[in-house]
Amino acid sequence: MVSPFRRRQQMVRALQSGAALAAVKSAGAPRAEPQAGTEAGQEYAALRVLLHADLLKLADVQSIEARNPMKAEMATAFADWIEGVLAAGEQGIAAQDEILVTNMIWAIDYRDFDYALRLAAHVLKFGLVLPERYNRTPACFIAEDIAEVSLAQKDAVSHEQLLAVLGLTEGFDMPDAAKAKLHKAIGRSFARKAEAFDAAADNAPAGGKAAYTEQALEQCKRAFELDQNVGVKSDIRTLERELKKLSAQKAEQQE
């Protein structure tokens, strides 16, 4: 077990990890990792050794289902370093950090999306890059992978988390097919909110069930614009029928 002093030391050195580099307050070209000659660099190097040992352990396990709880457990060893890195980021300071990037990926795998999005915000703000084996930009990876989880397991990602992904990745370049998956996932999430609509709820939208249905249709149509093979044709037909039905009901009530 890591002592409280050691955990605090990791956080402090992570805070220092970007200070040796130029302070950058906006996204830009990928930057260097913490310098090896500094205390922060030595701490980072030691944790990278542990990270790579963990990656080797994971590579020996063929079952994805079995790997994910392993990743959640392994992540605890890097949590304090990462908190220091995030604190440095709040001061506009960042270095390329394989530890943080890998833990962002792991968090998606073991379904801690709030944590994944915290790390993703830092990654995107400072232009960090994924390991070469992923062959995608961070924005594309975040949007596509979280969307795929939502489409496969509708209750795994909350509506608010999907909207947060859209907000984080908006404006970043990625293949249209990847972006389409996210709009499809959001569209279906809005459709589920429409199905579960309760007019008596405090947070019910002013437009009622129709408001959620309209937003669902808008998102699905956007997904279709981006990729006609994304699989939303039936969604669009269903939502259009539902809107006509709701419109007719509203007209009857007003007579």
Side-chain angles (χ1 to χ4, degrees):
M1 176 165 306
V2 180
S3 69
F5 172 78
R6 185 77 178 92
R7 292 173 59 187
R8 174 64 181 168
Q9 188 180 52
Q10 284 186 2
M11 288 186 66
V12 170
R13 288 180 176 170
L15 267 165
Q16 298 168 344
S17 68
L21 305 169
V24 180
K25 297 184 182 295
S26 61
R31 59 209 67 220
E33 293 180 318
Q35 295 179 347
T38 65
E39 287 187 351
Q42 292 169 359
E43 185 73 46
Y44 176 73
L47 286 170
R48 275 192 73 199
V49 170
L50 175 60
L51 176 67
H52 290 176
D54 286 344
L55 290 171
L56 287 173
K57 290 177 186 175
L58 291 168
D60 287 336
V61 179
Q62 296 184 36
S63 168
I64 294 174
E65 184 180 31
R67 281 184 213 153
N68 291 337
M70 291 173 63
K71 292 173 183 177
E73 177 62 29
M74 290 169 174
T76 61
F78 307 102
D80 296 301
W81 170 268
I82 288 171
E83 289 304 319
V85 172
L86 295 177
E90 290 174 2
Q91 300 173 22
I93 301 168
Q96 174 62 29
D97 195 308
E98 184 185 0
I99 294 165
L100 184 144
V101 170
T102 301
N103 274 265
M104 178 192 75
I105 295 166
W106 285 358
I108 294 173
D109 291 341
Y110 60 75
R111 308 297 190 254
D112 188 343
F113 296 109
D114 286 337
Y115 188 51
L117 291 172
R118 280 187 69 207
L119 305 191
H122 180 91
V123 168
L124 295 176
K125 178 180 179 181
F126 293 105
L128 276 60
V129 298
L130 301 184
E132 288 185 9
R133 64 184 177 275
Y134 287 96
N135 198 31
R136 280 184 285 174
T137 65
C140 178
F141 182 89
I142 293 159
E144 188 170 25
D145 275 45
I146 294 180
E148 286 179 348
V149 172
S150 178
L151 293 169
Q153 305 171 32
K154 63 182 182 180
D155 296 324
V157 188
S158 73
H159 184 73
E160 292 72 23
Q161 288 167 339
L162 285 171
L163 294 179
V165 173
L166 180 63
L168 274 177
T169 59
E170 194 74 34
F172 285 89
D173 185 37
M174 68 182 74
D176 290 342
K179 195 179 299 184
K181 291 177 186 178
L182 179 57
H183 285 286
K184 176 182 177 179
I186 294 172
R188 288 187 173 177
S189 182
F190 269 120
R192 289 193 293 273
K193 289 181 77 67
E195 290 173 7
F197 176 73
D198 178 3
D202 292 337
N203 61 346
K209 184 175 182 178
Y212 285 138
T213 307
E214 286 170 357
Q215 291 181 80
L217 180 59
E218 180 182 333
Q219 291 291 328
C220 287
K221 284 185 173 180
R222 179 58 181 146
F224 185 74
E225 288 174 355
L226 290 165
D227 179 10
Q228 295 186 5
N229 296 315
V230 72
V232 292
K233 290 180 182 179
S234 62
D235 297 75
I236 291 171
R237 288 194 296 268
T238 299
L239 291 165
E240 287 177 337
R241 284 196 300 268
E242 181 64 20
L243 276 176
K244 287 180 181 179
K245 175 182 172 184
L246 292 170
S247 180
Q249 290 175 348
K250 183 177 179 181
E252 288 177 4
Q253 292 170 358
Q254 291 175 343
E255 289 179 355

